[in-house]
Amino acid sequence: MGWTNTSVAAALLLLLLNAVTGANAQIPKLKVDLQSPASIKSAAKVVAANLMTYYRGDEPGQTPGILPGPPPGGDYYWWQAGAMWGTIIDYWYYTGDDTYNKEAIRSIVFQAEAPQNAFMPVNWTASLGNDDQAFWGMAAMSAAEVNFPNPAEDEPQYLALAQAVFNTQASRWETQHCNGGLRWQIPQHNGGYNYKNTIANVCFLNIAARLARYTSNDTYAQWAERTWDWSEGVGYIKPDFNIIDGAHVEANCTDLNPVQWSANAAILIHGAAIMYNYTKGEERWKRRVAGLLNRTVEHFFPDGIMVERPCELEDRVQCNVDQHSFKGYMHRALANVAIVAPFTRNDIVKVLRTSTTGAASSCLQDGTCGFRWNINDYDGDRNRGPAGQQMSALAALSTLLLDQDHVNKGPLTNSTGGTSLGDPTAGSNIREIEPLAPITTGDRGGAAIVTVIVLVSFVGSLGWMVGPWAES
Ligand SMILES: *[C@@H]1O[C@H](CO)[C@@H](O)[C@H](O)[C@H]1NC(C)=O
Ligand SMILES: *[C@@H]1O[C@H](CO)[C@@H](O)[C@H](O)[C@H]1NC(C)=O
Ligand SMILES: *[C@@H]1O[C@H](CO)[C@@H](O)[C@H](O)[C@H]1NC(C)=O
Ligand SMILES: *[C@@H]1O[C@H](CO)[C@@H](O)[C@H](O)[C@H]1NC(C)=O
Ligand SMILES: *[C@@H]1O[C@H](CO)[C@@H](O)[C@H](O)[C@H]1NC(C)=O
Ligand SMILES: *[C@@H]1O[C@H](CO)[C@@H](O)[C@H](O)[C@H]1NC(C)=O
């Protein structure tokens, strides 16, 4: 089902012919009727199968749980597979297709890495950001919220895994610079350790809010509040609800990087909507959710179809592999918001529908989908992370099935049937990757060398690739 050389060549030829002649491409498109749940399910199944052709972790000799990588060994950083399993969990929740469940369970357990079980595998230290860890943590949290089949009793459980991510991150909250916040990277020798970025902080807020709602333990909610207040105070959440990318500790977080990625807005609005629900509709959180939704729709859904604005320009796409996966997080987040903050439902369903129409129009019959959703055609974009755009199209199709009884009941909690077992102390005794001892002069040479070879993840992109990008 994936790209064979022949199909690539054929597709290229047809695209070329199309460009030259202006005739409609004859590549068969994916057929789907978005009014029909059965049709959405069968289209999603084809796109899911296509996505999973990029996953090799189930083959002999391969590492369970990961997509090929990290660069230069393959296209994908470790975090993206965490996001992929989250997408697969949602796919099962919305469609009932359990084809990939076993592999998802095995992957989450394996990459949690015993005995710490906190999604901090030694292998991926060189690209381990708080956001990377959190994408796996959010997948575990989703699994708990939807009663995804639990791992065996002697294996780590989803709720405890999310708590381990929360506990390790809460212990990294640092007030010495910028009066609080999480840094981007976890190991202090990683490039980007000096960046306090929005994604690390909104992921933490997201997990904290969901743990509060799931366990009814208000300590988590207080952390979500604190993280919102800090992010707003330091200027990452703007009064007009634009969400910017972050700033550096050397400048006490005053050198704001204004680029607006959809992933930041998506993870934040999801967390805010959960807080709205947890607080039984507090006005403060309602205002925040409404403001974020308004700005999100205006900014990221021009003409109702999602566009990753900093890098998806009218005349060219310069989004990297990470960014090719962002649209799916927005669709999944908004579907959750519609459910837990019902006052948003009509607006959200409307935009999910128009945007998914665009997503579906980017797909070919074999489930290959494009990155651009607003050209009513497959864009031929396959060099920078096809798995990411497959995840996005899959998320768009799946979440359009939100109008089902089990979904309308909302994410489960410990008191409404959620069966995942927790451990409030999970992750609290683990050894951090490096002690936060001051770097001595003797260490600096070594540190510099380590930094040079370090592979930055989620985003070298989020942090540094802002230069020539048009932003409005
Ligand atoms: C770490 O890498 C080794 C060597 O490739 C592999 O055997 C092991 O399964 C990996 N562990 C994780 C958690 O990916
Ligand atoms: C650093 O930033 C924080 C948060 O904006 C602020 O509260 C604090 O006063 C600043 N410290 C310095 C030394 O400027
Ligand atoms: C609530 O969560 C906090 C933070 O993890 C933890 O310290 C506390 O023990 C929890 N309370 C209960 C009753 O589980
Ligand atoms: C956002 O709010 C503004 C001002 O209230 C309003 O004019 C606009 O229509 C809203 N946009 C959306 C997409 O809801
Ligand atoms: C919280 O979510 C549930 C599930 O969707 C919903 O029934 C309830 O109305 C929500 N609470 C508020 C205050 O909107
Ligand atoms: C979850 O519910 C079970 C059964 O009602 C209870 O024993 C357990 O303490 C609860 N756990 C949390 C974290 O509240």
Side-chain angles (χ1 to χ4, degrees), residues 98-119:
D98 63 4
T99 307
Y100 309 107
N101 285 16
K102 271 212 178 100
E103 195 59 23
I105 299 166
R106 178 168 93 115
S107 295
I108 289 170
V109 167
F110 192 84
Q111 292 298 329
E113 193 169 77
Q116 298 193 331
N117 291 321
F119 296 121

Side-chain angles (χ1 to χ4, degrees), residues 61-66 78 107 109-114 120-124:
Q62 300 287 324
T63 302
I66 63 166
W78 174 72
S107 295
V109 167
F110 192 84
Q111 292 298 329
E113 193 169 77
M120 293 167 52
V122 172
N123 285 357
W124 321 120

Side-chain angles (χ1 to χ4, degrees), residues 3-313:
W3 284 104
T4 62
N5 286 335
T6 334
S7 70
V8 171
L12 269 178
L13 187 64
L14 281 163
L15 279 173
L16 198 65
L17 278 174
N18 189 29
V20 171
T21 64
N24 283 333
Q26 294 307 303
I27 309 166
K29 298 280 288 284
L30 182 71
K31 286 206 181 65
V32 52
D33 171 5
L34 296 185
Q35 302 298 331
S36 153
S39 174
I40 294 173
K41 277 183 202 177
S42 56
K45 196 174 173 69
V46 176
V47 174
N50 190 301
L51 165 63
M52 294 308 287
T53 62
Y54 296 98
Y55 176 68
R56 301 273 156 73
D58 53 349
E59 293 171 10
Q62 300 287 324
T63 302
I66 63 166
L67 284 162
D75 284 344
Y76 305 94
Y77 285 104
W78 174 72
W79 76 274
Q80 199 170 324
M84 180 181 79
W85 296 119
T87 306
I88 290 292
I89 288 163
D90 275 4
Y91 168 67
W92 166 77
Y93 180 56
Y94 290 103
T95 67
D97 179 9
D98 63 4
T99 307
Y100 309 107
N101 285 16
K102 271 212 178 100
E103 195 59 23
I105 299 166
R106 178 168 93 115
S107 295
I108 289 170
V109 167
F110 192 84
Q111 292 298 329
E113 193 169 77
Q116 298 193 331
N117 291 321
F119 296 121
M120 293 167 52
V122 172
N123 285 357
W124 321 120
T125 306
S127 62
L128 191 64
N130 282 300
D131 48 353
D132 302 64
Q133 182 194 26
F135 265 89
W136 284 89
M138 291 187 291
M141 193 67 228
S142 295
E145 288 170 339
V146 304
N147 264 349
F148 199 65
N150 289 312
E153 268 175 38
D154 60 349
E155 290 175 339
Q157 304 298 309
Y158 305 130
L159 180 59
L161 288 172
Q163 287 168 315
V165 173
F166 170 86
N167 286 332
T168 53
Q169 299 202 345
S171 77
R172 292 180 197 127
W173 187 266
E174 188 246 20
T175 51
Q176 190 186 342
H177 304 274
C178 320
N179 201 28
L182 289 176
R183 292 166 179 265
W184 174 23
Q185 291 297 306
I186 296 173
Q188 77 181 99
H189 294 319
N190 281 9
Y193 183 69
N194 62 340
Y195 192 51
K196 285 197 173 173
N197 61 354
T198 304
I199 192 66
N201 287 281
V202 296
C203 285
F204 178 59
L205 182 157
N206 179 295
I207 291 175
R210 293 161 75 185
L211 285 173
R213 186 175 173 281
Y214 192 97
T215 66
S216 306
N217 180 340
D218 200 62
T219 306
Y220 299 120
Q222 290 158 22
W223 274 102
E225 295 271 4
R226 180 175 305 153
T227 307
W228 177 285
D229 291 345
W230 178 80
S231 305
E232 189 175 56
V234 84
Y236 297 178
I237 303 172
K238 297 290 183 197
D240 59 5
F241 293 102
N242 280 331
I243 310 301
I244 65 120
D245 193 64
H248 294 89
V249 296
E250 297 88 339
N252 194 35
C253 296
T254 56
D255 60 335
L256 298 177
N257 172 350
V259 65
Q260 286 175 245
W261 297 107
S262 69
N264 288 322
I267 306 296
L268 180 60
I269 192 174
H270 180 194
I274 295 282
M275 286 303 290
Y276 165 81
N277 196 272
Y278 171 77
T279 59
K280 304 198 164 46
E282 251 184 39
E283 194 50 40
R284 207 158 39 110
W285 285 104
K286 183 172 190 179
R287 214 172 40 244
R288 290 168 177 175
V289 172
L292 286 168
L293 179 60
N294 176 297
R295 189 61 195 138
T296 292
V297 171
E298 279 185 357
H299 189 69
F300 291 109
F301 293 84
D303 304 318
I305 298 179
M306 194 170 170
V307 174
E308 189 60 42
R309 290 182 64 160
C311 57
E312 185 182 353
L313 311 181

